[in-house]
Amino acid sequence: MKNKLVIGTRKSVLALWQAEYVAGRLREEYPGLTVELLPVSTKGDEILDMPLAEIGGKGLFIRELEYLMREGKADMAVHSLKDMPADLPDDFTLAAVTDREDPRDAFVSLKYRTVEEMPAGAKVGTSSLRRQSQLLHRRGDLCIESLRGNVQTRLRKLDEGQYDAVILAAAGLKRLGLGDRIGSYLTTEESIPAAGQGVMAVEVRKDDRETRAMLAFLHNAHVASCIEAERAFLGCVGGDCKVPAGAFADVKDGRLFVDAFISSEDGKRFYRRQTEGPVSGAKTLGASIAEALLDDGGRRVLEEIAVK
C-alpha cells in the first residue's frame, strides 16, 4: 500500500474543502498515511467573462488535473461530479463517488424569499443553461443573466446589487457553512438537478490499481447507481453544460426512478419524462429516457442550439 497520496484540486474554497474532506477520510482509514493537496488554477476558473458553454464546457475544470495525474504529480483528483463531462478520457476512471449531499438548487436573494415573489423583469444570475431553461419555463417574465465565478464571487456580486437573485447548488453552500444564505429551495420537481449534483467524485488513472483499491471504502454503491443513470442520460444528450437538460435519479423501495428534461434555452419548448426500473438497469434507464425525450422534440431543440 502507498504511504503517500497527492490529491490534485482546483484552488476555489469549495474545491479545497472537498479535497480536504477526502484527505481527512483517507487519513482516518489509513493511520500513518501522508496525504497532500496540490492546488492548481484551471482555465475554467480563470476565464470568467464568458459563459462556460462558449469557452469549452465542463472539461476546462479538469484537464489540468488530469495532466497532473498523467505526469505522476498527483494520484487522484477530487471533483464536484456535476462539473464533470459525461465521458472521461479512456485512461481515467471514477474510483469513488461519495454520499450525496442535498441535490437541490437553492434560491438566494437579499430582496425576495422565493422565485414566485420576484416581480416581472427581476434579474437572476446563473451560469447554467439547465437552471435558466427551467426558470424561464416557470417564469418567462424573468431576466436571466450569466453569472460565473466561485461561490463567494457569486454571492459578492449578488450583495453588490448586480442581481436580484442567484441560483446556486445547495450542496456547495452547505459544505461551506453558508446554508443561512439560502432563501428557499427549489425542489427536484421544480428544478431538476444537474447529473451528479451534490456528489463528490474521485478520479484516478485506470492503471493505478493501488490507489483505486485504497479509495474503495469511500464509494457509495447506492449513489453510484443513481449517478450511472444520470450520466448515461447526459452522455446521450450531449454530455456538457452546452445543453439545457438535466436528470435526477433516486432509489425507492428497491426501484430506480429517473426524472429528466430537455428544453429550449428560453424554456418555451420543454420536454419532460419520468421512468422507473430495476437498479441493475441504471445505465439503460438513463439512455432510454434520453432517447424518448430526443424523439419527443428534444433532438430538434439541441440541433438548433448546436448551430448557433
Side-chain angles (χ1 to χ4, degrees):
M1 188 178 72
K2 294 182 179 181
N3 56 23
K4 177 182 176 181
L5 291 172
V6 178
I7 300 177
T9 175
R10 294 160 60 191
K11 290 183 176 180
S12 74
V13 176
L14 179 57
L16 290 170
W17 184 98
Q18 294 178 157
E20 286 287 6
Y21 170 83
V22 171
R25 292 290 305 275
L26 283 164
R27 294 184 188 112
E28 289 175 5
E29 186 73 11
Y30 306 104
L33 176 69
T34 298
V35 185
E36 296 179 357
L37 268 56
L38 180 56
V40 297
S41 180
T42 70
K43 289 184 179 179
D45 296 307
E46 294 167 356
I47 305 173
L48 300 176
D49 57 349
M50 297 176 64
L52 190 60
E54 294 181 10
I55 58 174
K58 296 177 179 180
L60 292 180
F61 288 124
I62 66 173
R63 287 173 192 155
E64 284 88 346
L65 299 176
E66 289 172 342
Y67 172 79
L68 293 177
M69 289 187 282
R70 286 193 179 104
E71 293 295 306
K73 296 178 181 178
D75 298 285
M76 68 190 77
V78 179
H79 309 287
S80 293
L81 187 52
K82 72 179 181 64
D83 292 334
M84 300 188 73
D87 298 314
L88 297 179
D90 290 340
D91 51 338
F92 288 97
T93 189
L94 298 183
V97 294
T98 66
D99 298 348
R100 192 168 210 165
E101 175 59 271
D102 193 329
R104 294 174 293 179
D105 286 326
F107 177 85
V108 184
S109 175
L110 301 179
K111 305 174 182 177
Y112 313 106
R113 291 175 299 172
T114 67
V115 171
E116 287 77 18
E117 283 189 6
M118 289 187 293
K123 187 185 299 185
V124 182
T126 178
S127 61
S128 164
L129 288 178
R130 173 190 61 81
R131 290 174 179 147
Q132 170 183 309
S133 61
Q134 291 185 99
L135 274 173
L136 291 176
H137 178 67
R138 181 176 171 187
R139 286 285 309 273
D141 58 347
L142 296 176
C143 176
I144 309 297
E145 296 204 359
S146 178
L147 174 62
R148 294 284 316 285
N150 60 38
V151 173
Q152 288 78 8
T153 298
R154 298 183 192 201
L155 291 175
R156 175 180 55 79
K157 291 181 177 180
L158 171 69
D159 294 341
E160 290 173 350
Q162 297 184 38
Y163 303 88
D164 295 305
V166 299
I167 308 296
L168 301 170
L173 291 167
K174 290 182 174 182
R175 285 173 177 151
L176 293 175
L178 296 169
D180 59 344
R181 293 297 306 262
I182 299 173
S184 60
Y185 295 94
L186 283 67
T187 69
T188 57
E189 290 77 26
E190 293 171 327
S191 183
I192 295 176
Q197 187 157 312
V199 180
M200 289 181 283
V202 188
E203 184 184 17
V204 301
R205 297 192 321 274
K206 272 185 182 177
D207 62 3
D208 189 353
R209 295 183 180 87
E210 195 169 4
T211 300
R212 291 172 66 178
M214 292 178 71
L215 288 164
F217 77 98
L218 270 175
H219 187 66
N220 185 318
H222 171 102
V223 171
S225 296
C226 299
I227 297 312
E228 186 176 15
E230 293 171 12
R231 287 174 63 78
F233 168 86
L234 196 63
C236 288
V237 302
D240 210 333
C241 58
K242 301 175 184 178
V243 297
F248 178 66
D250 197 11
V251 177
K252 302 174 185 175
D253 300 323
R255 300 277 290 175
L256 187 66
F257 292 79
V258 185
D259 190 3
F261 85 98
I262 299 174
S263 173
S264 57
E265 294 179 31
D266 60 10
K268 292 181 178 178
R269 286 179 290 166
F270 195 89
Y271 307 97
R272 183 173 187 169
R273 280 181 178 255
Q274 293 84 32
T275 191
E276 65 173 284
V279 174
S280 59
K283 187 173 183 178
T284 299
L285 279 176
S288 65
I289 197 172
E291 289 299 329
L293 286 167
L294 289 169
D295 291 342
D296 288 343
R299 182 173 288 103
R300 178 178 292 276
V301 165
L302 298 184
E303 288 172 349
E304 292 172 1
I305 292 173
V307 299
K308 281 188 177 181

